Amino acid sequence: MTALADEPAEDAARLHYARAAIEHAYEQGWTDGLPIVPVTAEVVEEFLAATPRPRDEVVAAVPHLGRECTVEQAAINAAMAGCRPEYLPVVLAAWDALMQQRAVTGGGWQSTSGPAPLIVVNGPIRAELGINSTGGVLGPGFRANATIARAVGLVVRNVFGIRPQELEQSTQGIPGRFSLCVGENEEESPWEPLATELGLPDGTSAVSALLLRTCEFVDNRHTTDPEQVLWDIADTVARTGAAIGRHSSAGLLLGVEHAQLLASNGFAKADVQRWISEHAFRTHTEMQLAGKSLAGQEGPGIDEHGLHVVPDPDQIPIVVTGARNAAMSMVVRPFGFGGWSRTAHPIRQKEARS
């Protein structure tokens, strides 16, 4: 990579104006800390041409603030985030999914936890747009994954006005707050894709989404016993640092090795969910030692013995993602007390003209 030291004067002028536009965006508070792409009206029209949805359709809202986001506003922020126009239908479907989450419509963006949206993409659109589903799926280096998630974050900032140390009240936040967009590794998963599990026809390009508090890795390449792997995962799910009484939650981003090991030993996805729900448990004594007494609390998951961290197996989303190069998985922590909506939303693309 080299600097543009000897560019023609005309190109130099363009670069000067682009840099000035980027600096202007910083001054206006439009960025998330990284430079944004300057956007013109012509660019916005290119984005709107990629979706059949009308520009004034409301796709997202924060009712308690009385603020809404239209397709056009989402397009502007997607362009600023570095998306290509063809990514816009995925961004809009992500908002369709997020708006089904009670935590999102109930003030979750302003939580002290600083939650992040997890966007899961299924179907052939993953290959069409280059959405990473394998190695480094939660890391940097993949334009579609990074910019689709970033577009959501810029809407929260620029349309809803929820910014750190202002309307956003996160105590610390989490790394990668607006960069969690993954494709499911359907090609190597032993189970049906998430969107199919949630009721859409197999092969549908779709998005599911929820807010997360954080991600925690489980590295277990030590055994081929499926229950030993499940015990390791359950221990992470049930750690007291993440347990907040009957409002605790967890989901799994399973690596390919773990998913295939479980499936080859007869575990369906629902079996894994039930196993984790039954065994991710903390006794009253253990909770008391952490200063989190359950005394006087009632509700699902709390009994005379202690706390089942996720008492409802259906509230443990499971997605197979990442590369087959090490037996590692992630426990994710869904945010909010209303539960996961368990919905998948088709990606509505504009039909190509013949």
Side-chain angles (χ1 to χ4, degrees), residues 236-238 248-252 276 309-310 312-313 315-317 331-334:
T236 302
V237 170
S248 302
S249 61
L252 306 179
I276 296 297
V309 175
V310 194
D312 182 356
Q315 286 297 311
I316 305 176
V331 170
V332 298
R333 301 287 178 180

Side-chain angles (χ1 to χ4, degrees), residues 12 15 32 42 45 56 68 133 159 194 220 222 234 248 260 267 286 295 340 352:
L15 290 171
D32 50 12
E42 182 181 8
E45 294 306 317
D56 58 353
E68 298 178 331
S133 306
V159 182
L194 181 64
N220 193 319
H222 309 74
S248 302
Q260 292 183 350
F267 283 86
E286 289 171 327
W340 175 42

Side-chain angles (χ1 to χ4, degrees), residues 235-312:
D235 180 70
T236 302
V237 170
R239 71 177 183 86
T240 59
I244 48 175
R246 62 188 180 88
H247 299 305
S248 302
S249 61
L252 306 179
L253 299 183
L254 287 181
V256 174
E257 286 91 343
H258 285 163
Q260 292 183 350
L261 172 66
L262 294 168
S264 66
N265 283 274
F267 283 86
K269 193 185 294 187
D271 298 326
V272 175
Q273 292 168 317
R274 283 191 295 268
W275 202 102
I276 296 297
S277 180
E278 291 170 5
H279 294 86
F281 179 81
R282 287 290 183 175
T283 66
H284 282 284
T285 299
E286 289 171 327
M287 294 298 289
Q288 180 62 51
L289 287 171
K292 295 182 174 182
S293 173
L294 301 173
Q297 293 193 46
E298 298 180 351
I302 300 175
D303 59 27
E304 68 271 21
H305 303 294
L307 172 69
H308 288 273
V309 175
V310 194
D312 182 356

Side-chain angles (χ1 to χ4, degrees), residues 75 77 85 97 142-143 151 154 220 225 231 236 252 298 329:
N77 283 275
F142 300 90
R143 180 177 180 177
L154 288 182
N220 193 319
D225 184 321
W231 271 115
T236 302
L252 306 179
E298 298 180 351
S329 293

Side-chain angles (χ1 to χ4, degrees), residues 44 47-48 51 53-62 67-78 88 91-92 95-96 99 151 155 158-160:
V44 174
F47 274 72
L48 293 174
T51 176
R53 304 171 72 160
R55 66 197 309 145
D56 58 353
E57 178 189 346
V58 173
V59 294
V62 280
R67 297 175 184 176
E68 298 178 331
C69 175
T70 64
V71 167
E72 182 174 17
Q73 289 170 314
I76 293 169
N77 283 275
L88 180 61
V91 174
L92 299 177
W95 277 114
D96 291 340
M99 291 306 295
V155 165
N158 295 326
V159 182
F160 299 154

Side-chain angles (χ1 to χ4, degrees), residues 79-169:
M80 290 168 63
C83 288
R84 295 176 62 90
E86 55 265 35
Y87 300 175
L88 180 61
V90 183
V91 174
L92 299 177
W95 277 114
D96 291 340
L98 286 166
M99 291 306 295
Q100 295 300 310
Q101 307 304 314
R102 182 177 172 186
V104 170
T105 58
W109 299 119
Q110 295 172 268
S111 167
T112 53
S113 300
L118 171 66
I119 300 164
V120 179
V121 183
N122 283 113
I125 200 165
R126 294 168 303 133
E128 293 170 17
L129 301 186
I131 295 172
N132 184 27
S133 306
T134 58
V137 70
L138 289 171
F142 300 90
R143 180 177 180 177
N145 298 61
T147 60
I148 288 168
R150 189 187 187 201
V152 171
L154 288 182
V155 165
V156 173
R157 180 182 188 90
N158 295 326
V159 182
F160 299 154
I162 300 174
R163 303 176 180 181
Q165 302 178 16
E166 296 178 23
L167 286 178
E168 183 195 309
Q169 296 298 311

